[in-house]
Amino acid sequence: MPDSYPLSEMEMKVTWGDCDAAGISYYARTFDWFTNARMKHLADYGLPYMPTFHDLGIALVCLKADCEYKKMVRPEEVITVHTSLTVLSRTRMAYQYKIFKQNGDLVAEGTTSHACVDLEGNPFNLKRRYPELWEQLMEKWPVFKEPETAE
């Protein structure tokens, strides 16, 4: 992940509920871990999802989710999810995730892409509809500022 993108980490212990009957983490749970890590990422930057987005009527719906699995994990193992915001535009956000074991082994890596929609599911331009929030996002994450145009 590029160093210039906002990054956060979430450490967690794999539970039996995260695993299948063979005692190996169930692949679909990885997407729950991505969601939890994304919510923590926003909170780490002072932008908790519920008050910052949801309570304003903004839903960040997932358009695409992808994951490549490298190693299995079992109950009681501690893992760390590294989360990076890689795209922030007026209508979209995208995240990249890397999950590591305590020994540094890469467990999985994936991405999610999200669109800003209202409560009826209609996409909208975040900068236009919520300019104060947009400015707050640009202050937190200047790497995503649009280049100024000459007038």
Side-chain angles (χ1 to χ4, degrees), residues 1 6 8 34 37-39 41-42 53 60 83-87 93-97 110-114 141:
M1 289 180 224
S8 67
F34 288 174
R38 186 172 59 254
M39 295 303 176
H41 179 271
L42 289 168
F53 296 94
L60 299 176
T83 306
S84 181
L85 179 64
T86 57
V87 173
M93 295 176 90
Y95 281 88
Q96 183 177 39
Y97 312 88
T111 59
T112 58
S113 299
H114 308 266
W141 300 319

Side-chain angles (χ1 to χ4, degrees), residues 18 25-35 67 69 81 99 107-109:
D18 294 324
S25 63
Y26 181 60
Y27 75 94
R29 292 292 289 162
T30 308
F31 294 103
D32 293 331
W33 302 342
F34 288 174
T35 298
C67 185
Y69 301 92
V81 183
I99 302 174
V107 171
E109 54 187 335

Side-chain angles (χ1 to χ4, degrees), residues 123-136:
F124 64 87
N125 180 317
L126 188 63
K127 182 178 180 181
R128 192 173 301 140
R129 190 173 291 183
Y130 297 97
E132 301 85 15
L133 176 56
W134 181 257
E135 285 305 313
Q136 188 179 5

Side-chain angles (χ1 to χ4, degrees), residues 57-59 61 91 115-125 129:
I58 303 167
V61 298
T91 59
C116 299
V117 301
D118 60 26
L119 296 180
E120 287 76 43
N122 300 310
F124 64 87
N125 180 317
R129 190 173 291 183

Side-chain angles (χ1 to χ4, degrees), residues 10 21 23 43 46 68 77 79 82 96 127 133-134 139 148:
M10 180 187 78
E68 185 174 339
E77 284 193 79
I79 58 173
H82 293 226
Q96 183 177 39
K127 182 178 180 181
L133 176 56
W134 181 257
E139 286 174 19
E148 294 186 29

